[in-house]
Each structure stands twice: as structure tokens, then as C-alpha cells.
Amino acid sequence: MNTTDTTVPAAPPHVLAPLPYAENALEPVISANTIGFHYGKHHKGYVDNLDKLIAGTEYADLSLEKIIAATAGRAEKAPIFNNAAQIWNHTFYWKSMRPKGGGEPPAALKQKIEASFGSVDACKKELASAAVSQFGSGWAWLVLDGDKLKVVKTANADTPLTTVLKPLLTIDVWEHAYYLDYQNRRADYVSAVLDKLINWEFALQNAS
Ligand SMILES: [Fe+2]
């Protein structure tokens, strides 16, 4: 390949990962209407924007993870970082929920949760508190810090992926995630997600 040719993207553009379930599969907690806009417009918008921003640049050849790592913390690259990180965060968010989720975590995860938080309820409370207290747009995360589980929150497109923390699951608290169904009641959205949709199996896979 001629690396000096900047007129043709060197790699296929980034694509929108398939939603792991039907748009109405999370009802009644999250409506098909919300998912339709959130996945079909917002998430897709980040993919379309990134493909435009990186066409013909040094980033055109890189994986999403490499683009995120290469642009994190660089103000002049913020548009590329923001769109790339939002693509990754959203793909991770969809997998962090499942129809008929919530309930008891699998035993191996429950053990880790109890060792780090005392109980599953205490872990859920900490996640809810991070999600509700994030000022403005952002994300609440369950992460692995060494061998300990922790809850952290990030603003806007920021992601633990650029730190030593290993993301296990996330909750999107941008208004576009809940406003059509819950308006300003972010706490109700968060507690319904934790009780009825959260995908503990996905968190366990990521922790292993
Ligand atoms: Fe979102």
C-alpha cells in the first residue's frame, strides 16, 4: 500500500456494531423509541463523524482502541477522541444490559463484589450514586483495579479504557439515554437498569 496516498482511506471505515438484541428487547425499562434514537442516531452519528474526521489522516489505518489511546488527553485531537471513545463506550453499554438482566450476579462475580463492596446491594448503591451524581453528561462504570472492583464515573466521552482500570460494565447517563422515557428522573432510569437490565455475566466475562 502507498502510505503517502491520503486520498483513499487505507482501512475500511469504522462500522456501527450490531445491537445485541432487538430495539424493543429492553422494554418497558428502556423503550424501543429511546433505543431507536440512541443507537440509530447518536451511536451511528459518532461512527459517521469519526469516519469523516480520520479519512486520509494518520488515524485512518488504526483500530478504534488505538485511535482512543493515541488521542486521549490531546486537546487538538478532541473531536477524534470524543467520537472514537463514544463509539467504544456505546458498544460496551449495549452489552452491559440484557433483557431480563439484573438479579443475582453469577457466583464468581458475586464473590468479587462481596470482597470489594461488602454486598451486591452496596455495589449497586455505589453505581447508582456515581450515575446520579455525575454532573452533566457522562458514564458510571464498574471497573477492575488490580484485583479489586471499584466504581468510577467519567464525564462526556471519557473512558476508563485510557487508564489502568479495566472496564467491566457501564451505564450511560447522557440525557439522550433516558430523557424520552424518564425526562429528568435520572435516578429512576439508573435504578431500573440496575434492577432489571444490568448484565452481570458480561461483567464477569470482562473480569476473567
Ligand atoms: Fe449515549
Side-chain angles (χ1 to χ4, degrees):
M1 191 197 80
N2 180 358
T3 52
T4 60
D5 180 2
T6 55
T7 58
V8 180
H14 293 272
V15 293
L16 183 63
L19 199 61
Y21 30 72
E23 288 190 356
N24 65 358
L26 305 183
E27 289 190 333
V29 178
I30 301 178
S31 67
N33 193 29
T34 289
I35 302 276
F37 278 99
H38 196 178
Y39 174 72
K41 304 284 183 198
H42 292 277
H43 192 177
K44 181 175 187 300
Y46 299 127
V47 176
D48 293 344
N49 286 341
L50 182 70
D51 283 335
K52 274 185 216 140
L53 286 165
I54 63 171
T57 74
E58 65 199 285
Y59 302 106
D61 266 341
L62 301 183
S63 69
L64 192 59
E65 287 79 3
K66 284 193 173 147
I67 294 173
I68 293 168
T71 55
R74 295 174 63 189
E76 77 283 11
K77 301 294 183 194
I80 294 178
F81 172 81
N82 286 337
N83 283 284
Q86 282 294 80
I87 296 170
W88 193 93
N89 290 349
H90 279 89
T91 302
F92 198 77
Y93 167 65
W94 303 127
K95 293 179 183 167
S96 297
M97 301 182 291
R98 64 179 178 88
K100 300 196 176 76
E104 283 285 291
L109 180 65
K110 193 176 172 192
Q111 220 168 30
K112 286 180 201 282
I113 288 176
E114 287 173 348
S116 298
F117 298 96
S119 67
V120 174
D121 265 357
C123 171
K124 284 168 67 179
K125 273 198 186 110
E126 213 172 304
L127 270 167
S129 156
V132 172
S133 66
Q134 169 55 35
F135 186 76
S137 297
W139 303 83
W141 305 82
L142 181 66
V143 298
L144 199 56
D145 182 8
D147 59 0
K148 212 170 154 45
L149 297 184
K150 256 188 173 167
V151 167
V152 296
K153 55 188 175 180
T154 60
N156 300 317
D158 283 351
T159 174
L161 201 59
T162 58
T163 71
V164 295
L165 305 172
K166 189 173 185 203
L168 303 186
L169 60 78
T170 192
I171 302 174
D172 187 344
V173 296
W174 284 57
E175 283 187 348
H176 65 219
Y178 60 88
Y179 216 83
L180 293 174
D181 297 329
Y182 295 86
Q183 292 77 50
N184 60 324
R185 293 175 288 112
R186 187 193 284 187
D188 291 352
Y189 151 74
V190 168
S191 80
V193 166
L194 283 168
D195 286 341
K196 296 177 182 149
L197 298 181
I198 207 74
N199 188 349
W200 295 122
E201 287 74 15
F202 177 62
L204 178 60
Q205 283 167 29
N206 291 320
S208 316

